[in-house]
Amino acid sequence: MVVLALAFYLFAGITIASGVMVVATRNPVHSVLFLILAFFNSAGLFVLMGAEFLAMILVVVYVGAVAVLFLFVVMMLDINYAELKEGFIRYLPIGALIGAILLIELLVVIGAWAIVPTAEERAPTPTAMPEGVTNTEALGRLLYTEYVYLFQAAGIVLLIAMIGAIVLTLRQREGVRRQRIADQIGRQREEVLAIRKVEPGGGVS
Amino acid sequence: MIDLPGLLPALPEIFLACAGMALLMIGVFHRGDATRLVSGLTVASFLVAALILIGVAEERVVSMNGLFIVDGFALFMKLLVLLGSALAVIMSLGFIEREQMARFEYPVLFLFATLGMLMLVSANDLISLYVGLELMSLSLYVVAAFRRDTVRSSEAGMKYFVLGAVSSGMLLYGASLVYGFAGTTNFDQLAAFTLDSTGIPPIGLIIGIVFISAGLAFKVSAVPFHMWTPDVYEGAPTPVTAFFAVAPKIAAMALFVRVLVGPFGDLAAQWQQIIVVTSLLSMILGAFAAINQRNIKRLMAYSSISHVGFALVGLAAGTPEGVRGVLIYMAIYLVMNVGTFACILCMRINGRMVEGIDDLAGLNKTNPLMAFALAVFMFSLAGIPPLAGFFGKLYVFMAAINAELYALAVIGVLSSVVASFYYLLIVKLMYFDEPSEAFDRPIGSGMSTILVGASVFNLFFILAPAPIVDAAGAAAGTLFNPPPAVLEAADAAAAVE
């Protein structure tokens, strides 16, 4: 138990610290690297909770795909940081005001949570893990039965994202040399090959 | 477990999804330009979906594990949405071919947006609500930016996307609060929860409702969440604007009504104030801000903001009569807007689209029939008596007065008087000013059919209002009869105590 608690505080502490560093660090590449660290530690927290599948997905999808994409974008884009900082200072007062209002709202909400007498019994209880079933299988059973409607709908959302990306960015450019394998294979010797007799010292006219 | 009969209520949606994917395949593998073919097939798919919808309609079915609902209300709204989308696709065809943006993805994206709208109207759970909303919005962002080579269209798409993402965030935050305090996202269970939480409901739940309302108000472009509307309407290609003004508004309004009246119906005292204020502001801003607009698309954007305000008057009443008013209003709004945008799409001089209202000057001399049709739509939008637009306003204001919201009704009528200024200004320009340049002719058979149909509807609605009014009344009724699940859950809760 002590080991578990230690591991939890280790992961949680590093997650929060790297979260702070993401915002605080000057170099955006370092920000992304800290973000990756935060993802890894969140994955550790998921493992502690017994959600191995989510932990693995977090590493594979977020670290493997999203964060690397971020890294590429940050490295490729030429962002003027001085200008960004300027905007930050200018909008600081209004941002702080909105933040304060949101904080007060949250406090009110959390305060009410304690007051509402039925909150405890209303809180949904986590579904017990069926015996002898792995994490992934349990999620799959839910996803493909009870939530199949949402699963399919989410698939269509992704399809639209793909169509949208193609519609908005794909250009048929003129004068681009493409490899046409069928043409290459279908080439006849006569079309492309000519044998010339070259006289010694005469050259090719 | 889902058995096959559980899929039956969602058959129109399943059909549309499959049709969308099939049309993509046709578009990719068709030799030559497939836009015309795919557009025709899209309209046909809408028609088939509507027929399936009427065919499988039943009293009230909840399926897909409580995520999906079909009732009279959903049926009515879905038919309106399908009609609006089909007309938008028909109106688009000529425009996209002339403006070199004819690509087969265009009607397919309309189809997927419509699929999202149908899912929205049938949502019976906060999660299915959100997924449907994203499905609709994502397609709309893309079609707004469809003319990617013009700055205005890209800007419209970008603006719509960023602000839409913010509004989705607000909606999700509200949904998470509601889930946290009620312990469920299912509408029936939420209704049961609010029914038996006597006294003051948890404050977190109310904050959640406020956030959800804010997110939905953005989607219907009600004040104070309207800022994106004029820019997006102006920047997006005109047929896309026509689509934006009609189908998504109807779907989002249906969702607004369903969420507030269904699961949170017993908290009417809490959300009524929000709706009253939103509706008031929308009517007033829509009336005053449009006065100075010289671009007809911006003018129609403000006009649609004020019309949303009028429709929300019915929702503010919170009674079956009020919801019936909203349904009738949306039906009439659809026809008026489709007609007006058909006219706007015909505003071409020497093959070039024009959008200024001064270009309409003297239209009566050059094209009297179109001038007459546009005048009918303008009078109808203004709510001048024998035309259909008057009846839309009549039913919502009647509901407001019967619900004792006198101030709202009076201010609504006054702001509609202000709004008639700019509608009548267009009529004056067409009939009493000297013509500048004539618009191109002919306008095409599809367009003239839509113009004639919409004018006839607006002119003669007074003779036979019964079919729409009765259907809307029946549809509104299904939303209010406490559904059996709510009563059962309430009984179960009572038995526990």
Side-chain angles (χ1 to χ4, degrees), chain A residues 18-80:
Chain A
S18 47
V20 170
M21 288 307 285
V22 170
V23 190
T25 179
R26 272 171 181 282
N27 188 334
V29 177
H30 293 175
S31 285
V32 179
L33 291 176
F34 274 115
L35 195 65
I36 294 176
L37 186 62
F39 285 147
F40 266 115
N41 284 285
S42 320
L45 289 174
F46 272 130
V47 171
L48 288 185
M49 280 192 289
E52 314 95 48
F53 181 72
L54 282 182
M56 290 310 126
I57 283 295
L58 195 71
V59 171
V60 172
V61 175
Y62 278 83
V63 179
V66 177
V68 171
L69 207 67
F70 269 6
L71 212 54
F72 270 120
V73 171
V74 165
M75 284 175 172
M76 297 221 175
L77 283 185
D78 183 26
I79 305 169
N80 187 345

Side-chain angles (χ1 to χ4, degrees), chain A:
Chain A
M1 273 299 114
V2 180
V3 182
L4 207 64
L6 266 180
F8 171 77
Y9 283 113
L10 182 74
F11 285 135
I14 298 179
T15 307
I16 294 174
S18 47
V20 170
M21 288 307 285
V22 170
V23 190
T25 179
R26 272 171 181 282
N27 188 334
V29 177
H30 293 175
S31 285
V32 179
L33 291 176
F34 274 115
L35 195 65
I36 294 176
L37 186 62
F39 285 147
F40 266 115
N41 284 285
S42 320
L45 289 174
F46 272 130
V47 171
L48 288 185
M49 280 192 289
E52 314 95 48
F53 181 72
L54 282 182
M56 290 310 126
I57 283 295
L58 195 71
V59 171
V60 172
V61 175
Y62 278 83
V63 179
V66 177
V68 171
L69 207 67
F70 269 6
L71 212 54
F72 270 120
V73 171
V74 165
M75 284 175 172
M76 297 221 175
L77 283 185
D78 183 26
I79 305 169
N80 187 345
Y81 298 105
E83 218 167 80
L84 278 182
K85 281 266 153 54
E86 195 181 311
F88 178 74
I89 305 266
R90 204 171 75 199
Y91 294 115
L92 187 63
I94 182 116
L97 183 71
I98 292 173
I101 292 173
L102 278 180
L103 183 69
I104 293 168
E105 279 179 357
L106 272 180
L107 287 179
V108 169
V109 169
I110 292 168
W113 183 286
I115 302 165
V116 174
T118 53
E120 197 92 335
E121 64 199 66
R122 285 283 175 200
T125 46
T127 318
M129 188 78 169
E131 283 300 315
V133 171
T134 63
N135 212 299
T136 318
E137 196 181 338
L139 274 176
R141 278 186 188 175
L142 266 186
L143 206 56
Y144 292 104
T145 56
E146 287 189 19
Y147 296 109
V148 69
Y149 173 65
L150 299 173
F151 183 70
Q152 294 290 341
I156 298 177
V157 170
L158 288 180
L159 175 69
I160 291 175
M162 200 168 81
I163 301 173
I166 293 173
V167 165
L168 294 182
T169 56
L170 182 71
R171 275 162 213 278
Q172 304 285 1
R173 268 186 293 180
E174 296 294 319
V176 177
R177 288 168 187 273
R178 285 176 201 279
Q179 183 178 25
R180 294 206 186 82
I181 293 174
D183 287 2
Q184 288 177 348
I185 295 171
R187 241 154 57 134
Q188 296 296 317
R189 184 180 158 196
E190 294 77 43
E191 297 168 14
V192 290
L193 204 66
I195 297 172
R196 301 269 171 87
K197 275 260 189 272
V198 181
E199 295 294 325
V204 184
S205 59

Side-chain angles (χ1 to χ4, degrees), chain B residues 122-430:
Chain B
S122 273
N124 196 39
D125 192 293
L126 288 172
I127 306 174
S128 43
L129 178 162
Y130 178 70
V131 175
L133 199 67
E134 281 306 297
L135 188 53
M136 171 184 97
S137 309
L138 208 58
S139 319
L140 295 186
Y141 303 146
V142 179
V143 286
F146 206 83
R147 270 171 108 177
R148 56 188 190 189
D149 298 320
T150 61
V151 178
R152 275 163 71 206
S153 178
S154 321
E155 185 195 324
M158 195 67 207
K159 227 172 224 171
Y160 194 24
F161 174 65
V162 171
L163 291 174
V166 171
S167 85
S168 290
M170 283 200 280
L171 192 117
L172 272 183
Y173 183 52
S176 76
L177 282 175
V178 167
Y179 178 55
F181 280 87
T184 175
T185 54
N186 186 279
F187 285 176
D188 294 336
Q189 287 166 19
L190 277 174
F193 174 76
T194 52
L195 195 66
D196 65 42
S197 65
T198 44
I200 304 168
I203 190 155
L205 188 66
I206 295 171
I207 296 182
I209 296 173
V210 172
F211 271 98
I212 291 179
S213 309
L216 292 178
F218 176 91
K219 296 292 175 198
V220 296
S221 73
V223 179
F225 305 100
H226 65 285
M227 280 82 156
W228 58 275
T229 323
D231 292 344
V232 172
Y233 275 36
E234 190 190 352
T238 311
V240 174
T241 312
F243 183 52
F244 278 6
V246 179
K249 281 247 160 104
I250 293 173
M253 189 57 87
L255 185 69
F256 216 157
V257 171
R258 186 188 287 288
V259 170
L260 290 185
V261 172
F264 305 122
D266 297 294
L267 303 178
Q270 313 289 334
W271 53 257
Q272 202 174 27
Q273 314 150 14
I274 307 174
I275 301 301
V276 167
V277 172
T278 316
S279 149
L280 268 184
L281 291 177
S282 306
M283 290 188 294
I284 296 172
L285 185 125
F288 282 96
I291 289 176
N292 269 330
Q293 302 302 328
R294 308 309 293 173
N295 179 305
I296 191 149
K297 277 157 83 181
R298 280 188 92 84
L299 189 126
M300 287 308 290
Y302 284 108
S303 151
S304 88
I305 292 173
S306 79
H307 282 289
V308 163
F310 290 123
L312 285 177
V313 170
L315 177 56
T319 54
E321 199 192 351
V323 172
R324 187 190 66 170
V326 175
L327 296 182
I328 298 171
Y329 201 98
M330 291 326 279
I332 294 173
Y333 170 84
L334 182 150
V335 181
M336 293 188 297
N337 258 284
V338 165
T340 313
F341 273 101
C343 287
I344 296 176
L345 279 165
C346 294
M347 289 170 61
R348 276 182 301 129
I349 297 176
N350 300 331
R352 183 173 50 86
M353 295 296 298
V354 289
E355 292 171 0
I357 60 171
D358 297 322
D359 294 311
L360 286 166
L363 184 63
N364 182 40
K365 301 216 174 59
T366 56
N367 192 344
L369 277 178
M370 196 174 124
F372 177 72
L374 190 53
V376 168
F377 302 138
M378 287 298 133
F379 280 124
S380 191
L381 283 168
I384 309 270
L387 300 171
F390 167 73
F391 290 94
K393 291 199 170 71
L394 177 72
Y395 285 111
V396 288
F397 286 135
M398 236 161 59
I401 286 172
N402 289 342
E404 300 184 342
L405 297 166
Y406 300 117
L408 187 64
V410 170
I411 297 178
V413 171
L414 289 181
S415 70
S416 89
V417 172
V418 176
S420 27
F421 169 77
Y422 53 83
Y423 297 126
L424 296 183
L425 178 73
I426 291 179
V427 175
K428 178 225 158 209
L429 275 171
M430 289 190 303

